Amino acid sequence: LSKEIADLKAQKELLEQHEDNDDGDIEEEKEHFDEALGFKEEAAEKIKDAEEERADILKEAKEDNLTIPDGAFKEFDALLSQAKAAFDAGNYENAKRLAKEAKKALKEAEKQLENLKDAKDEEEDLDDEKEIQQHEFENKGRLKLILSMLQALHLYNLIHIEHSDKTYYTDNLKII
């Protein structure tokens, strides 16, 4: 009987140790799950941020009447597609990394669009300056014509002779 009691106590100790190990394993699994869930949420957030940033850039380009060149988002699209595939495969750390790389590629595309906008603004400024110069040229031409007409009228007044009393008139002044 004492041998059976000793065996039962030994089994009880083994069960308790096994229970402690199970509790530790369960806690480790829970921590691993929480960590994986955190990676999943972070990866999903990074992908969402990248998509929203692209939408904002497209909206701004539309507001500025910019034509987006073909392939402007090629690298971004490829990286974001890879990030989504990694996310779907459960590789959240890689998905997060790829989403960050996609945002970097998006910054480059944004710089290119900003350069296009600057070039377009410069072209519009040059067109405005050209139009102003054209108006100034046309106005100078009109002024020259008016001045020529006034000079002709002035010469006419200078040589106008009134025959009746042999008096010469010039600029409404009587010369005798």
Side-chain angles (χ1 to χ4, degrees):
L1 188 62
S2 59
K3 185 178 180 202
E4 285 182 18
I5 291 175
D7 286 341
L8 286 173
K9 282 184 180 182
Q11 285 180 353
K12 181 181 175 187
E13 283 179 23
L14 283 173
L15 284 173
E16 286 175 355
Q17 285 178 353
H18 188 61
E19 221 176 71
D20 288 343
N21 286 341
D22 285 348
D23 286 345
D25 290 344
I26 291 172
E27 192 62 36
E28 278 183 37
E29 284 184 36
K30 184 178 184 263
E31 286 175 16
H32 180 69
F33 178 75
D34 289 344
E35 187 176 300
L37 184 60
F39 284 139
K40 182 178 182 178
E41 289 173 351
E42 286 180 34
E45 187 66 29
K46 294 291 181 190
I47 291 170
K48 180 182 170 193
D49 287 347
E51 290 173 329
E52 287 174 352
E53 194 168 325
R54 181 178 193 223
D56 290 343
I57 291 170
L58 291 173
K59 179 182 174 187
E60 186 177 324
K62 185 177 179 180
E63 288 172 357
D64 292 336
N65 292 323
L66 289 178
T67 302
I68 298 172
D70 292 337
F73 295 106
K74 183 178 181 180
E75 184 179 359
F76 169 82
D77 290 338
L79 288 166
L80 191 63
S81 178
Q82 291 173 18
K84 288 179 178 181
F87 184 87
D88 291 342
N91 190 348
Y92 304 121
E93 287 183 65
N94 195 35
K96 181 180 165 184
R97 181 186 59 79
L98 288 166
K100 284 181 180 180
E101 287 182 33
K103 282 185 79 171
K104 286 179 186 175
L106 190 61
K107 293 292 181 194
E108 286 300 315
E110 187 175 24
K111 285 179 187 176
Q112 290 176 358
L113 288 174
E114 194 63 39
N115 289 340
L116 281 174
K117 182 179 185 284
D118 291 345
K120 182 181 176 187
D121 290 345
E122 285 181 30
E123 184 178 334
E124 288 174 356
D125 290 346
L126 287 174
D127 287 346
D128 291 346
E129 182 65 29
K130 183 179 175 184
E131 189 175 318
I132 289 169
Q133 288 177 351
Q134 181 66 29
H135 287 313
E136 287 176 356
F137 178 76
E138 290 171 0
N139 287 340
K140 284 180 183 177
R142 288 184 191 116
L143 283 174
K144 284 182 181 179
L145 178 64
I146 291 170
L147 284 174
S148 295
M149 292 172 68
L150 286 173
Q151 286 173 342
L153 184 60
H154 182 70
L155 282 174
Y156 174 77
N157 282 338
L158 283 177
I159 59 172
H160 181 255
I161 300 172
E162 189 170 309
H163 296 286
S164 61
D165 61 347
K166 303 284 185 208
T167 305
Y168 299 94
Y169 290 91
T170 177
D171 289 345
N172 296 327
L173 295 175
K174 192 174 187 180
I175 299 176
I176 302 178

